Amino acid sequence: MKMSIKAPKGTRDILPDEIHKWHYVEEKFSEICKRFGYREIRIPVFEHTELFERGVGDTTDIVQKEMYTFFDKGGRSITLRPEGTAGVARSYIENGMASWPQPVKLFYNITAYRYENVQKGRYREFHQLGVELFGSAKPDADVEVISLLYLFLESVGIRGLSLNLNSIGCPSCRAEYNRILKAFIEPKLERLCEDCKNRYQRNPLRILDCKEQGCINELQGIPYLLDHICDDCAEHFEKVKEKLTAMGIPFTVDKKIVRGLDYYNRTVFEFVSKNIGSQGTVCGGGRYDGLIESVGGSPTPGIGFALGIERLLLEMDSQGINVPLPPSPDIFVGVIGDKANLFAENLALKLRAGGITCHKDIMERSVSAQMKYANKLNARFVVIIGDNEVESGKVELKDMSTGETRMINIDTLQDRLKKFKQVNS
RNA sequence: GUGGGUGUAGCUCAGUUGGUUAGAGCGCCAGAUUGUGGCUCUGGAGGCCGUGGGUUCAACUCCCACCAUUCACCCCA
């Protein structure tokens, strides 16, 4: 390799040939969000490290080992955002959104950064589409957010993802459950894996998530949080399920999902695929009623989700979903000779100013080579400008799909192309 | 952090038990066609064979280390 500098591990270029897929899902997402009354927010790529320690939770893997953290030249500890919710919550507080009409409904399209080993569907720089809804603690909010996600996935053509749903209760029922859980695990603790022994101390809930066969065997009959949540939480969850069912949104209750971020409470959910490798979670989210408070605001309920664009695109590929290709250039303007060149340049500029997508030769190649190039560009029409054309004011307009040509006045070229575009759009 | 797979041209890949000057297809450039694309044909550019060390008369080929990449564990989007 001559070029020895490569993109850092876990990052990649999104090249022109695939950018239309990104635009497609990003535009669809924006459109659906707006239809639900959400407005876009843009937040910084980096924040004070403390925001994530408090917001995401310092027992989480993300904070413990996955953050891109550095000191800036002013000696501040700065972290590249590992997700979007904490930053949006910070912005909510900082900009006094509590005094906006409630609820506050936001969406975003961000990059995020986590220092992890790379594998299919997982990168160190990745892209998320997300929604955050602040101010409503009602089941209706949960349902609105989930239905937005559902409609979005449907609108890009995705079928057959499973929506998994769970409730992980509130801090008070979780404290109660932790006692029950610890009592159940305590006698078996010696036989569990190292990770689980750690989890037992730090965050016993996560033991439910363990994939070690030994632990799974050992923990047969483990009590699930869902079976021990308080009456209020249970009622909330029941209403969410009822409404989803009534709206025809299929889901399955999965008592094992706990979500890896500390800020979640009550409803948690994810859309999971079986076809895109072991990182099958296309999007995940949940309610986070304690988050705003834990990063310094007054108590404010909230719920949201984040969707991995890379994984969404993998899933769309695996389902063979066709994304419309970007439109071809309207015309290629070829050139013969120096005198005609300036004329052609002016013509091209006029066409472009008039809204026509136009390529012009800037290689001084042979006509034959220019035609080959125009063909590769998939240009709809070609004109060649030489001394004849400059003198006569007429050009041969060639339709590249049929090969037919037609002599026309240069003055009428722009109108013809515009009309053609209208008819064919 | 741990384990497995893979590193040869821009891309996809051949390369014999180790044996002269490392190949194909696609792509790129030019010409056949001195003012008109697609098909065809001809030619050209493009390689530290991932890097470093070792074995050998001889290494793309065998051995070791490192690096990169990929899949998986963990965890998550």
Side-chain angles (χ1 to χ4, degrees):
Chain A
M1 300 285 158
K2 251 177 291 179
M3 202 186 70
S4 55
I5 299 177
K6 294 195 224 146
K9 183 195 274 282
T11 68
R12 29 180 237 167
D13 305 311
I14 302 159
L15 299 173
D17 279 350
E18 52 183 347
I19 200 71
H20 65 287
K21 295 180 181 176
W22 289 73
H23 288 156
Y24 181 74
V25 300
E26 287 166 354
E27 280 159 23
K28 270 280 189 320
F29 184 71
S30 161
E31 186 188 319
I32 299 284
C33 284
K34 287 176 194 162
R35 240 186 264 168
F36 274 76
Y38 290 68
R39 296 192 296 163
E40 181 170 0
I41 183 170
R42 299 195 183 185
I43 54 169
V45 168
F46 56 86
E47 299 270 4
H48 291 288
T49 302
E50 191 187 354
L51 173 66
F52 301 115
E53 288 170 348
R54 284 164 56 185
V56 177
D58 45 22
T59 67
T60 60
D61 278 13
I62 291 177
V63 170
Q64 282 187 350
K65 54 186 197 192
E66 295 173 2
M67 294 206 301
Y68 278 92
T69 298
F70 59 95
F71 288 96
D72 70 9
K73 291 180 180 177
R76 291 169 280 256
S77 179
I78 296 293
T79 295
L80 263 33
R81 61 186 175 208
E83 52 101 53
T85 303
V88 175
R90 193 224 79 234
S91 179
Y92 178 92
I93 297 164
E94 190 167 344
N95 294 289
M97 293 187 202
S99 66
W100 292 7
Q102 299 290 305
V104 173
K105 310 204 288 186
L106 305 166
F107 75 93
Y108 56 80
N109 175 5
I110 60 169
T111 54
Y113 304 85
R114 293 183 199 169
Y115 191 87
E116 297 182 90
N117 262 348
V118 175
Q119 70 190 76
K120 187 171 188 186
R122 180 161 70 196
Y123 307 96
R124 290 182 173 181
E125 178 184 64
F126 59 103
H127 297 74
Q128 289 187 328
L129 301 171
V131 151
E132 314 292 355
L133 163 54
F134 296 101
S136 172
K138 305 294 183 192
D140 283 359
D142 308 39
V143 169
E144 178 171 292
V145 165
I146 292 172
S147 67
L148 185 159
L149 189 47
Y150 181 78
L151 187 62
F152 167 69
L153 292 170
E154 195 173 59
S155 79
V156 295
I158 284 189
R159 299 288 180 273
L161 291 190
S162 53
L163 168 58
N164 300 330
L165 204 62
N166 193 18
S167 174
I168 57 172
C170 58
S172 76
C173 42
R174 215 173 317 167
E176 173 64 19
Y177 169 73
N178 269 344
R179 277 197 292 278
I180 296 170
L181 188 61
K182 282 189 156 181
F184 176 86
I185 293 168
E186 207 270 321
K188 307 164 190 286
L189 190 57
E190 272 314 301
R191 296 188 293 274
L192 297 184
C193 69
E194 283 309 307
D195 284 341
C196 281
K197 285 175 187 160
N198 265 323
R199 292 175 181 131
Y200 181 79
Q201 295 304 330
R202 295 179 157 277
N203 193 347
L205 194 53
R206 303 269 294 284
I207 292 179
L208 287 176
D209 235 5
C210 188
K211 313 286 192 302
E212 287 284 328
Q213 197 53 48
C215 294
I216 293 174
N217 294 341
E218 206 54 56
L219 296 172
Q220 291 288 327
I222 191 169
Y224 289 111
L225 176 47
L226 184 59
D227 301 322
H228 295 271
I229 57 178
C230 65
D231 290 347
D232 285 351
C233 288
E235 190 189 337
H236 183 96
F237 192 51
E238 282 311 311
K239 283 196 174 147
V240 170
K241 288 192 293 183
E242 271 170 31
K243 284 167 190 276
L244 288 176
T245 304
M247 292 166 81
I249 298 176
F251 62 88
T252 53
V253 173
D254 180 352
K255 296 178 177 181
K256 284 186 178 174
I257 52 175
V258 296
R259 306 264 81 220
L261 290 75
D262 280 357
Y263 50 61
Y264 289 116
N265 70 309
R266 292 199 165 171
T267 312
V268 293
F269 58 92
E270 53 191 25
F271 277 87
V272 182
S273 162
K274 292 188 186 76
N275 343 308
I276 58 172
S278 72
Q279 304 305 315
T281 306
V282 174
C283 35
R287 180 164 277 288
Y288 43 80
D289 295 337
L291 173 62
I292 294 280
E293 208 176 347
S294 71
V295 295
S298 46
T300 306
I303 181 166
F305 67 79
L307 176 151
I309 302 183
E310 286 85 355
R311 290 181 190 178
L312 180 75
L313 258 21
L314 278 176
E315 176 65 16
M316 288 172 68
D317 263 0
S318 88
Q319 292 197 16
I321 293 167
N322 264 335
V323 174
L325 288 167
S328 305
D330 298 315
I331 188 166
F332 177 85
V333 176
V335 181
I336 302 162
D338 287 343
K339 256 187 279 175
N341 197 356
L342 185 58
F343 185 91
E345 192 70 83
N346 277 315
L347 173 63
L349 184 59
K350 259 181 222 149
L351 292 175
R352 289 159 176 163
I356 302 296
T357 306
C358 168
H359 288 248
K360 174 198 164 282
D361 174 70
I362 48 176
M363 296 283 281
E364 299 188 7
R365 286 195 279 215
S366 71
V367 170
S368 172
Q370 291 185 47
M371 289 302 294
K372 284 181 184 169
Y373 179 63
N375 189 53
K376 283 171 203 159
L377 294 174
N378 202 23
R380 294 307 315 264
F381 293 97
V382 170
V383 291
I384 304 287
I385 306 295
D387 293 346
N388 299 344
E389 284 76 12
V390 175
E391 274 168 37
S392 68
K394 289 184 174 175
V395 288
E396 206 171 30
L397 180 65
K398 179 161 189 171
D399 182 330
M400 293 294 277
S401 58
T402 63
E404 287 162 11
T405 63
R406 203 169 174 157
M407 288 302 289
I408 62 162
N409 277 317
I410 290 181
D411 302 337
T412 68
L413 180 57
Q414 181 157 322
D415 282 347
R416 272 176 179 277
L417 293 173
K418 274 189 179 168
K419 272 177 200 145
F420 181 86
K421 266 185 107 151
Q422 272 169 14
V423 174
N424 289 277
S425 65

